[in-house]
Amino acid sequence: MLSNQAGDGKRTSLHGQWSSKLAFVLAVTGSAVGLGNIWKFPYVAGENGGGAFVLVYLVCVIAIGMPVMMSEILIGRRGRRNPVATMELLGQEEGSSKNWRYAGLLGVLAGIFILSYYSVIAGWTLSYIVKSASGVFVDASAAKVVAELEAFKSNTAQMSLVHTLFMGLTIFVVARGVERGLEQAVKFMVPALLLMMLVLLGYSITSGSFGAGVEFLFTPDFSKLNWGSVLEAMGQAFFTLSIGMGAIMAYGAYLPEETSIMGASATVVAADTSIAILAGLVIFPLVFSNGLQPDAGPGLVFQTLPLALGQMPGGAFFSTIFFILLSFAAWTSAIGLIEPGVAWLVEHFNKTRKEAAIIVGGVIWLLGFGSVFSFNLWKDATVFQGTVFDNLDFLTNQLMLPLGGLFIAVFAGWVMCRNSTADELGGAGTAYSAWRIGARVVAPIGIFLVLFFAIKNVVA
Ligand code: TRP
């Protein structure tokens, strides 16, 4: 085991530090803003009937997501190691048990599973850059765009190729290390994506069905809600904020002492939530004005956005830019998903960053074929939740992330002593008390109840 004890008793990280507070906020925002906001949020909201689901999602983001994110950052900064070693170290230091390391390990695994299908969908965005640039969506009808997606989904070779390409890009950045790799990739992507979404919003406002889209997204119809969809909304909150699996903990390990954890978390949560809602506001009006189905599933954005962009002046150009930005957003998220595993291999098995990135990335790449085939060769081989893709999605978002979040909240709220957490969060004001109630009571009980009732319903 490598030591990272600095002379003054404060630990430092082996992997370097963020050059500034802004760099940290950008990196965490870069990990949070991704396919989860633009691809996943609209389609799960669509499948679950809209408004009521969105409301539950927002409540989960604020009441559970915010305290868990702060807990994760503070644990990471205090331990300054990979999530597995940090949980082990702090578990001992706080007089509990080394076995907290298994909570870290659960996160490493979750990251590997998530990235295996995330990379496949990120591959779709890469393909859509090329399709857009070639002009296939210019003035295309809804039927044509849908047919294009169906043809793409059944093209196993092409999907394998772009999945491979995306994993290659991810391994490349991660192998280069924290400072040089991660920071540079996120600096311009988030503002650019935000701008692009605003342009698209302008278009969707004039699409003729803006009111219908807004109504779908914000009018809660609680009859459409059951425990399964409540769990899905909570899972989406975890997924979109990148919490519950140690990624933010790994990023927190590179955070300078003086940065405010509360401020950074609030910024990230606000940015992430705005982009998701914005995506919903862009997509649902287009769904209704073009007679598409809101519950179209994972293909939803790949139907609506090319269609809208194709009808705009300069459509091929804007569509190309949009999918480039979305690929960037996916890329910066992929880096966060693989980081806990890579940092663990580096510290625990003495691998170089490059070796670790290739090993973990290689495993993820192989696993990813399960999801590639879920859209073609193995489309009909369904068990439990459906295809391999559906099962991985359920296992990670709806079980592993909430469980990981539960462990993180309980650890920061109950296992760590008040002095340690107050030290990290900067004293004992109202904000600290609010966090503490969130981490000790609201988050654990909320997560537990939702998991309990949802699982009970599946079993019953
Ligand atoms: N938040 C990312 C998105 O919305 C996905 C994600 C989940 C993630 N867990 C993560 C990204 C951990 C980085 C690290 O697309």
Side-chain angles (χ1 to χ4, degrees), residues 341-380:
V342 169
W344 180 55
L345 243 63
V346 169
E347 290 175 33
H348 200 73
F349 298 98
N350 273 318
K351 298 283 177 216
T352 64
R353 260 196 96 81
K354 194 169 163 191
E355 288 164 349
I358 292 171
I359 295 168
V360 183
V363 169
I364 294 171
W365 173 71
L366 273 180
L367 271 178
F369 285 94
S371 295
V372 169
F373 299 155
S374 294
F375 294 98
N376 36 67
L377 304 179
W378 298 348
K379 190 168 67 183
D380 300 317

Side-chain angles (χ1 to χ4, degrees), residues 108-134:
V108 167
L109 266 184
I112 289 173
F113 287 159
I114 294 176
L115 187 50
S116 80
Y117 67 78
Y118 201 86
S119 167
V120 174
I121 307 298
W124 294 17
T125 65
L126 291 178
S127 275
Y128 270 64
I129 297 175
V130 180
K131 286 186 198 296
S132 301
S134 75

